[in-house]
């Protein structure tokens, strides 16, 4: 079963957005060359709406639909062509994700697909895009291998990569002093690629910091004591600063590590960025620093201003991490269709390679070599007196041009 969104689903409150928004949209949907006969553009959005990452998937869907709304000025049309979005739940199962994408391209005759939440599922989907010769915009799966050794020319990623995450996290490590780091990571492609990328990032920009121990665990792990004790043992005698860093998705183990009192051994915890409900549990740790892909208060641009206002109205909350990601995927889709003037895969690929487009984070650019969206990242600090939704203070923007993300797809 699929959920279907199209022009008729846009509520009355999303009437055309006014002159300021129209100006911001110049160069997108407004300049699409309409064909003689309007047609339907079918887009499949696949997400892990059932399981541990359900919150991420719902945010991605909300952001994607709001992005299309903003970028089409409430019409759900690109030029004269109507956008129809089919939403499918892969349940975080690689085989199901693969078969759903086959269904999208084959039975549903989708022109483009977007997804998915989990890296193992996204990796299973990549060969399907190549088999059907259809564009797949990967959002928000993170594993480096998606735009690395498992990549093919039909794959574009708006989501950040493990390496982009890693450079943001490395930037939050003190420069110029010796730091020993223990890693607690999810035992998936996301976690393992993340640790490998973090090692490379530290070597590049924080050479006095090094990873001395690694622990991996399943997302449903209940008892972290064995992992914690091994990390404590590896770190407690090390000179200089001692840190346990996390690469995690889903229910976060930070609180369980806090309960085990790592401060006994002079060990600090570096949880990394996450969605607001997860980070709300960290508000007692004022001064903790990390790197993040998006926090609603950091970017200053018309898209983010609109998203913050509208999301608060509709959901009584600020837009979160994966909302911005879904919106960015919509921005890439509309910009690509606009430039290509077609849904033909070859024309889309030619249009999207090297394409720069605006998002709630600011400008993203699809790198021609591997189709990874190059984008800014952020260094944050937990505020003193933080609340559930007012948690982070900005420390620095890490510009896309300062992130030396290696090209690994051997194109």
């Amino acid at each position: 079963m699929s959920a279907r969104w199209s022009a008729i689903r846009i509520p009355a409150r999303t009437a055309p957005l006014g002159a300021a928004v129209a100006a911001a949209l110049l160069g997108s949907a407004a300049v699409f060359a309409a064909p003689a006969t309007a047609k339907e553009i079918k887009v499949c959005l696949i997400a892990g709406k059932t399981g541990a990452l359900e919150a991420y998937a719902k945010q991605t869907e909300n952001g994607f639909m709001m992005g299309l709304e903003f970028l089409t000025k409430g019409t759900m049309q690109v030029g004269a062509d109507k956008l129809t979005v089919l939403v499918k739940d892969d349940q975080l199962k690689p085989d199901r994700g693969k078969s759903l994408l086959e269904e999208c391209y084959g039975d549903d005759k989708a022109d483009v697909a977007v997804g998915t939440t989990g890296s193992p599922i996204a990796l299973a989907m990549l060969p399907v895009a190549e088999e059907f010769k259809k564009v797949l915009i990967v959002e928000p799966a993170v594993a480096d291998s998606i735009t690395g050794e498992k990549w093919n020319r039909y794959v574009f990623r708006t989501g950040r990569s493990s390496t982009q995450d890693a450079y943001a996290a490395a930037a939050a490590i003190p420069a110029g002093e010796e730091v020993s780091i223990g890693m607690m990571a999810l035992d998936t492609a996301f976690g393992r690629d993340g640790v490998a990328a973090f090692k490379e990032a530290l070597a590049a920009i924080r050479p006095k910091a090094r990873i001395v121990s690694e622990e991996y665990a399943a997302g449903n792990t209940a008892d972290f004591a064995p992992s914690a004790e091994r990390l404590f043992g590896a770190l407690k005698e090390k000179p200089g600063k001692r840190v346990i860093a996390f690469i995690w998705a889903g229910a976060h183990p930070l609180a369980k590590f806090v309960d085990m009192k790592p401060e006994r051994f002079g060990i600090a915890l570096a949880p990394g960025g996450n969605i607001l409900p997860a980070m709300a549990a960290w508000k007692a740790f004022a001064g903790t620093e990390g790197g993040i892909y998006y926090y609603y208060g950091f970017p200053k641009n018309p898209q983010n201003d609109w998203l913050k206002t509208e999301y608060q109205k509709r959901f009584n909350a600020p837009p979160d991490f994966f909302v911005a990601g879904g919106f960015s995927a919509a921005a890439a889709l509309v910009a690509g269709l606009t430039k290509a003037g077609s849904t033909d895969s070859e024309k889309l690929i030619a249009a999207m390679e090297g394409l720069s487009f605006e998002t709630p984070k600011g400008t993203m650019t699809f790198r021609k070599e591997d189709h990874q969206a190059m984008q800014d990242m952020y260094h944050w600090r937990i505020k003193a007196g933080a609340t559930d939704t007012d948690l982070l203070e900005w420390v620095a923007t890490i510009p896309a041009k300062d992130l030396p993300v290696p090209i690994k797809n051997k194109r």
Side-chain angles (χ1 to χ4, degrees):
M1 292 293 290
S2 304
R4 181 183 288 265
W5 301 69
S6 66
I8 61 172
R9 295 292 297 273
I10 297 297
R13 66 183 172 219
T14 63
L17 301 171
V21 171
L25 295 174
L26 188 61
S28 66
V31 298
F32 192 96
T37 303
K39 71 183 191 70
E40 181 182 39
I41 299 172
K42 282 190 177 181
V43 182
C44 262
L45 174 63
I46 299 175
K49 297 176 68 173
T50 301
L53 305 184
E54 176 185 355
Y56 299 3
K58 287 182 176 178
Q59 286 188 18
T60 300
E61 182 179 351
N62 289 340
F64 187 71
M65 297 312 302
M66 291 182 73
L68 292 179
E69 176 189 336
F70 177 91
L71 293 158
T72 65
K73 295 182 277 189
T75 67
M76 282 294 280
Q77 291 183 191
V78 179
D81 297 339
K82 183 180 74 170
L83 288 165
T84 296
V85 179
L86 305 173
V87 182
K88 298 176 186 278
D89 178 11
D90 63 36
Q91 300 175 8
L92 294 181
K93 297 175 181 176
D95 287 348
R96 180 173 170 82
K98 179 176 181 289
S99 60
L100 284 178
L101 189 57
E102 291 170 342
E103 177 182 287
C104 286
Y105 292 142
D107 298 343
D108 298 326
K109 307 300 181 188
D111 298 292
V112 180
V114 178
T116 184
T117 315
S119 290
I121 302 87
L123 287 165
M125 289 163 55
L126 303 188
V128 179
E130 187 171 35
E131 177 187 349
F132 281 85
K133 296 180 168 55
K134 293 284 188 180
V135 168
L136 171 64
I137 298 173
V138 176
E139 175 64 49
V142 174
D144 272 345
S145 48
I146 291 167
T147 45
E149 63 268 25
K150 302 297 184 182
W151 175 87
N152 64 69
R153 65 190 295 269
Y154 298 94
V155 174
F156 290 79
R157 175 160 57 185
T158 49
R160 84 284 185 206
S161 67
S162 289
T163 295
Q164 287 167 317
D165 267 353
Y167 273 96
I173 297 292
E177 64 179 278
E178 194 169 349
V179 183
S180 296
I181 302 168
M183 298 300 305
M184 183 71 248
L186 201 61
D187 192 10
T188 64
F190 163 68
R192 292 184 178 275
D193 279 14
V195 172
F198 193 36
K199 287 179 181 177
E200 292 180 8
L202 290 171
I205 66 172
R206 293 293 186 268
K208 290 191 174 182
R210 63 190 184 96
I211 294 171
V212 299
S213 184
E214 301 168 26
E215 290 288 326
Y216 298 90
N220 61 356
T221 300
D223 182 9
F224 285 90
S227 292
E229 292 300 334
R230 287 191 290 270
L231 289 171
F232 293 168
L235 288 168
K236 64 184 181 182
E237 302 298 334
K238 297 294 182 185
K241 189 176 179 67
R242 304 167 195 139
V243 177
I244 293 175
F246 297 81
I247 297 177
W248 205 263
H252 204 286
L254 177 69
K256 294 181 179 181
F257 274 72
V258 169
D259 289 343
M260 288 180 272
K261 303 187 184 308
E263 66 274 14
R264 292 175 292 153
F265 308 111
I267 297 171
L269 301 177
N274 211 307
I275 59 174
L276 289 169
M279 292 194 296
W282 312 341
K283 58 182 178 287
F285 309 113
T288 297
E289 297 186 21
I292 199 167
Y293 161 84
Y294 172 85
Y295 179 74
Y296 70 93
F298 293 168
K300 310 297 182 187
N301 62 68
Q303 287 192 16
N304 197 49
D305 291 345
W306 181 86
L307 181 59
K308 288 189 295 182
T309 299
E310 288 300 314
Y311 203 85
Q312 186 70 44
K313 284 181 188 176
R314 301 177 196 190
F315 299 98
N316 196 33
D320 211 342
F321 201 98
F322 294 97
V323 176
F327 196 119
S328 298
L333 174 67
V334 172
L337 290 169
T338 298
K339 185 177 179 184
S342 170
T343 57
D344 175 78
S345 294
E346 291 304 317
K347 291 181 180 178
L348 273 174
I349 291 169
M352 292 171 71
E353 287 189 349
L355 178 67
S356 293
F357 52 98
E358 296 306 311
T359 78
K361 291 186 62 180
T363 304
M364 291 188 185
T365 300
F366 281 130
R367 189 160 59 178
K368 185 174 182 178
E369 292 85 354
D370 60 2
H371 302 175
Q372 174 61 50
M374 306 308 290
Q375 56 196 281
D376 295 348
M377 301 289 283
Y378 303 97
H379 178 184
W380 54 264
R381 181 183 300 118
I382 294 179
K383 291 181 176 181
T387 66
D388 285 358
T389 57
D390 185 16
L391 284 159
L392 306 183
E393 63 182 16
W394 175 88
V395 177
T397 298
I398 308 161
K401 64 180 179 59
D402 293 341
L403 295 169
V405 179
I407 297 166
K408 297 183 176 181
N409 62 347
K410 299 178 182 178
R411 183 174 185 176

